Amino acid sequence: MSQQLIQGNEACARGALAAGCSFFAGYPISPSSEIAELLARELPPRGSVFIQMEDEIASMGAVLGASLGGRRAMTATSGPGFTLMQEHLGYASLAEIPCVVIDVMRGGPSTGLPTSPAQGDVMQARWGSHGDRATIALAPGSVQEVYSLTIEAFRLAETLRTPVAVLYDEVIGHMREGVELREPTPDELGRRTSPRTAFSPTFLPYAPDENGVAMVPDFGRGYRFHVTGLMHDERGYPTSDNAKVAELLERLERKLEPAVAAVPPERYRLDDASVVLIAYGIVARTARAAVDVLRREGIRAGLLRTRLLWPLPAAALTEVSRSAELVVVAEMNRGQWALEVERLAGDTTVLSPYLKAGGSVITAEELAGHVRRLTREGVAVS
Amino acid sequence: MGHEPVKFYQVGSFAVGNRLLDRDERTVQSDSGRSNSLTSGHRACQGCGEALGARYALDAAMRAAAGRLVAANATGCLEVFSTPYPETSWQIPWLHSLFGNAPAVATGMAAALKAKGRTDVRVVAQAGDGGTVDIGFGALSGMFERNDDVLFICYDNEAYMNTGVQRSGATPPAARTATTEAIGDEPGNVFGQGKNVPMLAVAHEIPYVATASVAELHDLERKVERAMGLRGARYIHILVPCPLGWQAASCDTVRLARLAAETGLFPLFEAEHGRVVDVRPIRKRVPVEDYLRPQGRYKHLFGEHGRPDLVAAIQEIADGNIERFGLLAEAVEAGAR
């Protein structure tokens, strides 16, 4: 199949269309606006819905309503808008409403650096909403992967009934690369859970299936049920029963575990590596180049490129970080994912993250220089 | 009176004619002692209506406040083009709040100044149409409802220009934007949508509401002075053409602003405590086509595949405004409003 030269944000919109997205509500914000602009042109002729809302709070609200109405629904935004959406994201997690949120990351906090890349929303994706919220966040590292992971985001959202965030930075959003726009298979699209019985007075919309995912019907299918942001039982009615609440929170976290196997990390020259770079998004690309540079200099470097930020791919991180002598998490923030790796790494591993939060991408030379300095100081055996 | 009062526009031109006036009747801008609140060197586009409107409005507010003025400013073009060093252009204490919160932040500023007994320091808040009619409207309505002592100025260029010309709740029907493309049976922005925030402000029965235009700068300054002479929540909505987003020549900014008023599409009025008390009459009524044609955002309405039906529908809106506000000079003179 031939490739098309398109921008990251266009790949996202194309991926959403391929994934069957039939509802978009959003609000203009740099550097994500191209996604909305393209879907404003593409959705209405397909009989689908594009709505420009009055702000990001309303955008996310409309997405949740549309999803409950049976649409594959999404929005796209950047940091300030992602902040405004957090209350709705907590609601979507608790009420098990499938939806996809694209966050094209720019420098923050606040208005920050509207047109510069950053990876500062990683912890916000995890903890931005109050309470113990389990969630899924994906991190594509190329324009091609923006396409494929947007499709995967819809599959995970629909099959696991959860909000899924796709986080990539401004550079990936605006970069142009050749992309193969392959149509997803039915398995790659996935299907939303739905009730297996007709409506009856004893119907339980929030009873989980064998995978721990609630079987909530779409509105309009003849079922009468409650959806609420309060803690609820399997009937969907509010409850303050401590045991039921604890069980619900545990289930909402457990049901997301399949995402870890579904989106495995990419391993590059790791087999004999004593120096392990860990990176995601745009930084994983420069980190790969840094590995090649270091290898040419005789330093046994390798890269673990993750495409899944949350739930944490803990097993892979534990394995590589314990087998290495030096682990360098490279990210464009003040140290977010690096803290998670620090938690998992063994006592004998030296951890020295390379962090950069000024509004530009970490270069291969910066990263290689960082490792070189450490090896000269005798940190890792080359 | 020792001399014949000078009438404006007496030679058929629209020249402002400051020098023919008594000194105390001249505009704030003609005063060499003006504050230059938004001074030169900023990076607005050539022909930016917002830069012009903000300069006139804030200089007038500064004079009315005897130089004691602070401004809260929502995210938007005005904030972006006037702030990065070395193009920083504000000569007054100035705060970039966030996008949707300028009315709320200004509320806090006014309350603090009042609590400290510094009611001599006046507060303005300003935003574009997106920050006013969309994301900021909840906070603005709250500011109106509490009658907080803030003058809120909306510079309306009818779309989100800063992020690449997406529609807002102030985008007029049929206008092309990046999210309302000129495609399909209903090209451009949809008819029957959008928010009339000046009338929503009137409905809050706040002390003062006015619409103004960068084509009528005497009128704009006068309305700002009137607003500054009052306390409580006040609202001025200024139409500021945008050459970029309207796809119009940068030399046409003032002409388009005038045509918007002269067609009836943008009525110029004043309201106090919930009642419209004055309108600026249309001097020379023109068909909406004269206003729409020079703008690329309406290009799809004209030419071989044009849409005269949509032009007619826009004409109906203009005619409706003229009737609703009694904008024709005869009507105003006859007090038939």
Side-chain angles (χ1 to χ4, degrees), chain A residues 115-315:
Chain A
T115 55
S116 299
Q119 295 178 324
D121 303 351
V122 169
M123 280 297 175
Q124 182 182 31
R126 178 69 186 86
W127 297 111
S129 168
H130 61 277
D132 283 295
R133 185 177 84 101
T135 192
I136 298 176
L138 308 179
S142 67
V143 177
Q144 178 71 61
E145 215 165 67
V146 170
Y147 178 77
S148 58
L149 284 187
T150 300
I151 295 169
E152 177 64 3
F154 273 97
R155 191 190 69 84
L156 291 168
E158 296 288 322
T159 56
L160 302 178
R161 294 200 71 96
T162 180
V164 176
V166 181
L167 270 54
Y168 57 88
D169 63 89
E170 181 273 338
V171 170
I172 288 183
H174 286 156
M175 180 167 66
R176 284 172 197 278
E177 290 186 299
V179 176
E180 192 181 309
L181 300 174
R182 191 175 61 77
E183 284 297 315
T185 64
D187 280 350
E188 287 168 336
L189 288 174
R191 277 174 69 93
R192 187 181 285 196
T193 61
S194 58
R196 292 165 188 173
T197 56
F199 178 73
S200 75
T202 57
F203 167 65
L204 297 174
Y206 280 91
D209 66 7
E210 56 280 6
N211 301 314
V213 181
M215 294 179 283
V216 186
D218 298 334
F219 282 135
R221 289 191 50 205
Y223 294 83
R224 174 168 55 75
F225 59 103
H226 279 196
V227 178
T228 176
L230 289 159
M231 293 295 170
H232 46 270
D233 57 20
E234 292 186 352
R235 295 171 299 177
Y237 298 145
T239 181
S240 52
D241 180 315
N242 291 6
K244 284 182 178 168
V245 170
E247 187 187 315
L248 174 62
L249 288 173
E250 192 275 332
R251 177 174 70 76
L252 291 177
E253 191 165 328
R254 179 165 40 84
K255 75 168 184 176
L256 303 185
E257 282 169 9
V260 176
V263 192
E266 182 186 85
R267 294 153 179 274
Y268 182 64
R269 303 182 88 165
L270 273 179
D271 287 346
D272 63 338
S274 59
V275 177
V276 171
L277 306 183
I278 297 177
Y280 52 89
I282 189 72
V283 180
R285 300 166 69 115
T286 53
R288 190 182 169 102
V291 165
D292 292 342
V293 168
L294 292 166
R295 284 271 174 179
R296 280 198 291 276
E297 295 170 11
I299 296 172
R300 285 185 288 118
L303 168 69
L304 184 80
R305 179 174 83 89
T306 185
R307 306 180 298 149
L308 178 73
L309 296 170
W310 310 112
L312 196 68

Side-chain angles (χ1 to χ4, degrees), chain A residues 27-30 33-34 36-38 40-42 45 50 52-56 80 84 106 110-112 114, chain B residues 75 79 96-99 130-131 133-136 160 162-168 178-181 183 195:
Chain A
Y27 188 72
I29 185 166
S30 302
S33 298
E34 294 85 0
E37 290 173 6
L38 195 136
R41 288 195 296 275
E42 295 290 334
F50 170 89
Q52 191 178 316
M53 299 297 289
E54 66 269 31
D55 58 28
E56 288 90 348
L84 290 177
R106 64 193 226 185
S110 192
T111 315
Chain B
T75 304
E79 167 256 326
H96 168 220
S97 52
L98 283 177
F99 203 176
V133 317
D134 290 342
I135 193 170
Y160 292 87
N162 181 45
T163 49
V165 197
Q166 295 88 8
R167 91 169 274 277
S168 78
T179 49
T180 57
E181 287 288 0
I183 50 176
K195 246 185 246 184

Side-chain angles (χ1 to χ4, degrees), chain B residues 129-140:
Chain B
D129 49 296
T132 302
V133 317
D134 290 342
I135 193 170
F137 186 72
L140 183 65

Side-chain angles (χ1 to χ4, degrees), chain B residues 87-294:
Chain B
E87 295 102 1
T88 316
S89 303
W90 293 104
Q91 306 293 305
I92 55 172
W94 181 95
L95 162 86
H96 168 220
S97 52
L98 283 177
F99 203 176
N101 64 349
V105 172
T107 289
M109 288 156 68
L113 289 165
K114 185 181 178 189
K116 290 169 71 180
R118 290 300 308 273
T119 48
D120 56 322
V121 182
R122 308 297 299 277
V123 179
V124 295
Q126 45 188 359
D129 49 296
T132 302
V133 317
D134 290 342
I135 193 170
F137 186 72
L140 183 65
S141 179
M143 190 199 103
F144 289 162
E145 174 263 319
R146 293 181 301 269
N147 198 24
D148 295 316
D149 189 19
V150 176
L151 167 60
F152 191 96
I153 303 173
C154 170
Y155 302 102
D156 179 6
N157 58 19
E158 302 189 330
Y160 292 87
M161 303 311 183
N162 181 45
T163 49
V165 197
Q166 295 88 8
R167 91 169 274 277
S168 78
T171 300
R176 179 266 165 204
T177 71
T179 49
T180 57
E181 287 288 0
I183 50 176
D185 296 338
E186 290 183 66
N189 196 35
V190 179
F191 279 77
Q193 294 188 350
K195 246 185 246 184
N196 186 338
V197 172
M199 290 311 287
L200 285 165
V202 171
H204 284 74
E205 302 187 359
I206 56 175
Y208 185 74
V209 176
T211 55
S213 156
V214 289
E216 305 289 353
L217 292 166
H218 275 285
D219 182 66
L220 166 57
E221 284 189 353
R222 186 184 61 74
K223 285 169 175 167
V224 172
E225 280 164 22
R226 170 78 185 132
M228 292 299 290
L230 299 167
R231 292 281 176 171
R234 292 143 288 142
Y235 180 77
I236 297 182
H237 190 105
I238 307 175
L239 184 72
V240 292
C242 169
L244 176 81
W246 294 18
Q247 295 164 267
S250 54
C251 60
D252 276 346
T253 295
V254 171
R255 185 166 78 94
L256 287 174
R258 178 172 301 115
L259 287 168
E262 300 289 279
T263 51
L265 284 173
F266 190 81
L268 297 172
F269 70 87
E270 290 173 280
E272 294 181 7
H273 299 288
R275 282 183 47 241
V276 175
V277 295
D278 203 5
V279 298
R280 188 172 176 83
I282 290 174
R283 287 191 301 271
K284 192 178 75 179
R285 189 177 183 177
V286 290
V288 294
E289 190 175 335
D290 291 10
Y291 169 69
L292 303 175
R293 265 191 190 275

